């Protein structure tokens, strides 16, 4: 029987989860799941993660409404990384307002902004930020 | 001045690095970089990682010849994750012979193989495996 649960042992109970736009293939973000976030993601079809800074489960889009509807769940060869293919509601995954968290490209030691800004974080999260 | 180096502090000197095929957009694998692997990747234009199990730097494709030529390097909003867009030599990133390490899809509690097998690992790595 193939293993259908990620191996949470290598990172103290967490696995990294890559989130990719199911339509465009754009990589939107990387976050972490513990076993509860994994289970809730499968049960609800909405991406849940574990916040290392807050020490708690987090429904992506809970504040912003920009939830991620899970279309596909993939495991890597060692089952220690997860890939979610999602429909990104609200058009943007990043709390900074960019479509993808990976909006900064490194070129010859300089950073250039290559991402598309979809919303103003102050309007979505209020002036205190995310 | 924008930060151009990943934040290695959150994971004991490592950051996760997502590797994506620059042409197709397929997510090929997830690995980890320490500062030396990051520096060598930028210097050589070939993806280097840090093996947590072997405790050493690793040039992807050193044994198999399936190196990853780096086309773009992106940092996420917190600079604690890296995205490499690469040209995958040999057509496959996974040591199991699949094009992508994410060749297993979870559906209704069962795993199905959705990836494409490109090579036979025994031929590439010998009978002892990777």
């Amino acid at each position: 029987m193939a293993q259908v649960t990620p191996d949470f042992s290598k990172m103290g109970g967490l696995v990294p989860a890559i989130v990719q736009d199911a339509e465009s293939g754009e990589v939107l973000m990387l976050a972490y799941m513990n076993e509860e976030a994994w289970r809730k993601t499968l049960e609800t079809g909405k991406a849940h993660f574990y916040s290392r800074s807050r020490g708690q489960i987090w429904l992506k889009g809970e504040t912003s409404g920009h939830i991620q509807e899970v279309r596909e769940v993939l495991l890597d060869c060692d089952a220690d990384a997860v890939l979610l293919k999602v429909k990104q509601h609200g058009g943007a995954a990043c709390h900074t307002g960019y479509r993808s968290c990976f909006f900064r490209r490194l070129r010859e030691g300089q950073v250039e902004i290559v991402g598309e800004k979809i919303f103003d974080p102050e309007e979505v999260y209020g002036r205190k930020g995310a």
Side-chain angles (χ1 to χ4, degrees), chain A residues 96-111:
Chain A
T96 59
Y98 285 92
R99 183 180 298 282
S100 163
C101 290
F102 295 94
F103 60 87
R104 298 185 297 170
R105 183 164 62 191
L106 206 70
R107 187 167 272 186
E108 293 163 9
Q110 299 293 315
V111 165

Side-chain angles (χ1 to χ4, degrees), chain A residues 1 3 5-6 22 26 29 36-37 42-43 48 66 70 80-81 85-86 89 94 96 99 107 113 124 128 130:
Chain A
M1 181 64 186
Q3 187 182 7
T5 301
E26 188 174 12
M29 57 185 277
E36 190 188 348
L42 295 186
E43 281 171 10
H48 287 69
H66 300 171
V70 177
D80 59 4
K85 297 194 182 183
V86 306
H89 287 252
C94 190
T96 59
R99 183 180 298 282
R107 187 167 272 186
I113 304 294
V124 169
K128 287 183 182 169

